[in-house]
Amino acid sequence: MIPEIGHFALALALALSLAQAVLPLVGAQRRDARLMAAGPGLAAGVLIAVATAFAALLWSFALNDTTVTNVVQNSHSAKPMLYKLAGAWGNHEGSMVLWVLILALCGAAVSAFGRNLPGALRARVLAVLGMIATGFLAFILATSNPFLRVWPPAADGQGLNPVLQDPGLAFHPPLLYLGYVGTAVTFAFAIAALIEGRVDAAWGRWVRPWALASWSFLTLGIALGSWWAYYELGWGGYWFWDPVENASLLPWLAGCALLHSAIVVEKREALKTWSVLLAILAFSMSLLGTFLVRSGVLNSVHAFANDPERGVFILALLLLTMGGAFALFAWRAPALAPTGVFAPLSREGALVLNNLILCTIAAVVLAGTLYPMFADLMLKAKISVGPPFYQATVFPLALPLILAMAAGPLMAWKRAKPWPVLQRLWWVALAALGAIALVWLVQGRPILPALGFGAALWLILGAFVDVAERIALFSRPRAALARARGLPRAAWGGAVAHAGFGVTLLGMAGMGLATERLAAVRPGETVSLGGYEWKLEGVRDVTGPNWTSRRATVTVTRGGAPVTVLQPEKRNFPLARQSTTEAAIHTTWASDLYAVMGEEENGRATLRLHHNPLAPWIWLGGAIMAFGGGLSLSDRRARVGAPARRAAAQDPGAAQDPGAARA
């Protein structure tokens, strides 16, 4: 009965979302206050219906209801409860319900917190969100129904994919979807602005919190996924330019550019057309990632499905959504004339440079991700685009971006002079150059890790200088504390986020100095790596809830003193007929000692050992970046919304807008 309630709730949500897509839009066009007022109620109804369906899905997984096909394929009675619940969204069908649930939450949030929006604009935003929800709910009901029954009931489920039975992967998808769906809200604001034919400072203020929230959740989701791949897959690194990894990086890059361009719209009413285009592109990249992961065109440990029928449906939805958006943009963009003027050397100019480089990097990553598929389809050629391509193309583009990240916040708005900026940053530049020279001379390695250390120091110290200048730390130190308390949280958040990126760069640079060794050893034998002695004490059998494993015990010493004991495993899941690698990691924050167990033969166990300097700083930096985004989001200016919009000649209905007076 519960699965039928969930199925009915999805059908009800589809009907309500269709009404949400039509009624507020018609009301905004006719200036009918009653139709516009229907939007918030319909959005709340969609949320209740989808939440009911998701609760029914969780109930089915928690009880291991083997009359539901989705439960049989992705759960098992022996699994811990956390992974039973995570199994509800650890598959294609359930993940789509979670996607729509978060979209419905965002629609309800726009209704609840957007009361200061002009009535017509809010109605159009809700209508666009209703259109998106309609498309995805139709996709779920037509091709991905999570409540299909199986008869007779199975004796038990087949179990969740073993590599997904991990706390990191339990929380990674919800965080990532919060970021993806956040781009849907900024997309809705962009389409609403195009329909209205108006983008101004108030629009930039309304869009920024959503862009900021989306970017922050994407940052957390990507960092968590990267950390999971590091410790669960046993690859020993943090990023492998896997196509599905790239699918999450693309909307992050576009969202980062939008976040910065919206600042210029808010401050100077410039970059209007560009900001609208970025909002469309960010959501386009999110939809493209959905298509790549679920269409079967990619083979990856991250991919959800391998079903061409679903891929065709999502591709049609992608083409319809993006085709309509770009057609509307081509028609209405000429009306969005910029009113702000600024010199190339200014804070606005630095933000424009930031946008251009971020979008160029996104274009390079997109080309590297899609070209192998097109080559296979059109040329029947199997081409692999791997890390060397991205390292040769992305890293040179990142260097001017990093330079601008520290210098841009110190520039004046509208017109800036280079000398005052150089005066503030000269000692930061000396420290960065000194770090580059020191690492290069001491390590004797390629220049890239040394440049990474210098860039990291440049960003971290540059963020410190930004805050120090704002609170007059050096010129008026006695009043600095009081000024720090009064500094807007958005200013703190921007500096923290930039410093967090510097911390991540520091970890990446440290990983450039990592050492690795592959050795087949007998119990009692010792291997040297990174100044440590790694001794295999033995290998034994271990039994878990739904797996068995061979677990090695490796004692690590340095100079004869014990450091740690590592226990890497090779796990076997009999039900899934699949094996996984469980890396053993000892971290000191200065470095990670990392051991992976391979195959056994002739009394020898194959061990892959890594010494990874500063590796934890990669994910620490991601957390700091997300914290900076949250700090900016807590700024009162983001919570109270935008100032009142000025009357616009091209908007004859503005005076009749019941919400305009409250904006």
Side-chain angles (χ1 to χ4, degrees), residues 73-74 158-165 228 232-233 235 300-303 546-550 569-582 599:
Q73 294 175 345
N74 299 284
Q158 300 172 11
L160 183 65
N161 185 340
V163 299
L164 303 182
Q165 295 185 35
W228 166 80
E232 175 66 23
L233 298 182
W235 293 346
S300 169
V301 296
H302 306 75
N546 58 339
W547 48 264
T548 60
S549 80
R550 292 285 288 169
E569 297 181 33
K570 191 80 172 179
R571 287 185 182 176
N572 178 50
F573 291 77
L575 188 65
R577 298 179 181 178
Q578 188 173 341
S579 297
T580 64
T581 298
E582 300 294 322
E599 301 298 329

Side-chain angles (χ1 to χ4, degrees), residues 31-242:
R31 295 296 177 180
D32 187 327
R34 291 177 300 175
L35 290 178
M36 287 192 291
L42 289 169
V46 172
L47 173 60
I48 293 171
V50 178
T52 301
F54 190 68
L57 188 62
L58 288 175
W59 180 271
S60 299
F61 272 85
L63 294 185
N64 196 44
D65 186 349
T66 55
T67 67
V68 178
T69 303
N70 195 24
V71 175
V72 174
Q73 294 175 345
N74 299 284
S75 190
H76 190 274
S77 59
K79 285 198 318 182
M81 181 56 70
L82 173 62
Y83 302 135
K84 285 184 179 181
L85 297 178
W89 60 78
N91 60 85
H92 166 73
E93 292 84 359
S95 68
M96 292 308 304
V97 178
L98 177 62
W99 206 102
V100 177
L101 174 63
I102 296 174
L103 181 62
L105 279 169
C106 288
V110 171
S111 301
F113 300 111
R115 294 173 183 171
N116 62 332
L117 292 172
L121 179 64
R122 182 171 68 161
R124 291 184 176 113
V125 170
L126 290 175
V128 175
L129 291 174
M131 294 177 193
I132 298 170
T134 299
F136 278 95
L137 285 165
F139 170 69
I140 292 171
L141 290 170
T143 70
S144 309
N145 183 3
F147 297 108
L148 290 177
R149 292 283 197 173
V150 58
W151 191 262
D156 208 335
Q158 300 172 11
L160 183 65
N161 185 340
V163 299
L164 303 182
Q165 295 185 35
D166 180 85
L169 257 289
F171 302 106
H172 166 66
L175 289 173
L176 210 56
Y177 292 168
L178 283 167
Y180 284 156
V181 176
T183 65
V185 180
T186 56
F187 171 81
F189 270 97
I191 297 301
L194 289 174
I195 295 173
E196 189 180 84
R198 185 179 183 191
V199 174
D200 55 15
W203 182 89
R205 179 73 68 85
W206 290 321
V207 166
R208 269 193 69 207
W210 289 103
L212 192 57
S214 170
W215 178 86
S216 298
F217 281 119
L218 267 176
T219 301
L220 280 176
I222 292 171
L224 188 57
S226 169
W227 185 41
W228 166 80
Y230 175 72
Y231 71 78
E232 175 66 23
L233 298 182
W235 293 346
Y238 59 92
W239 195 265
F240 301 90
W241 298 104
D242 179 277

Side-chain angles (χ1 to χ4, degrees), residues 274-360:
W274 178 246
S275 296
V276 170
L277 179 60
L278 282 175
I280 294 174
L281 288 174
F283 185 56
S284 301
M285 295 299 100
S286 294
L287 286 183
L288 178 63
T290 303
F291 168 72
L292 292 176
V293 172
R294 302 168 195 279
S295 62
V297 299
L298 295 178
N299 291 318
S300 169
V301 296
H302 306 75
F304 270 115
N306 187 16
D307 189 340
E309 180 185 355
R310 292 169 176 170
V312 170
F313 196 111
I314 296 177
L315 183 60
L317 185 62
L318 172 64
L319 294 176
L320 180 63
T321 304
M322 294 305 103
F326 284 119
L328 181 62
F329 177 80
W331 176 42
R332 300 290 282 174
L336 306 179
T339 57
V341 179
F342 55 87
L345 188 61
S346 61
R347 189 177 300 188
E348 296 94 331
L351 291 172
V352 170
L353 178 63
N354 159 287
N355 273 224
L356 292 176
I357 296 175
L358 284 171
C359 290
T360 303

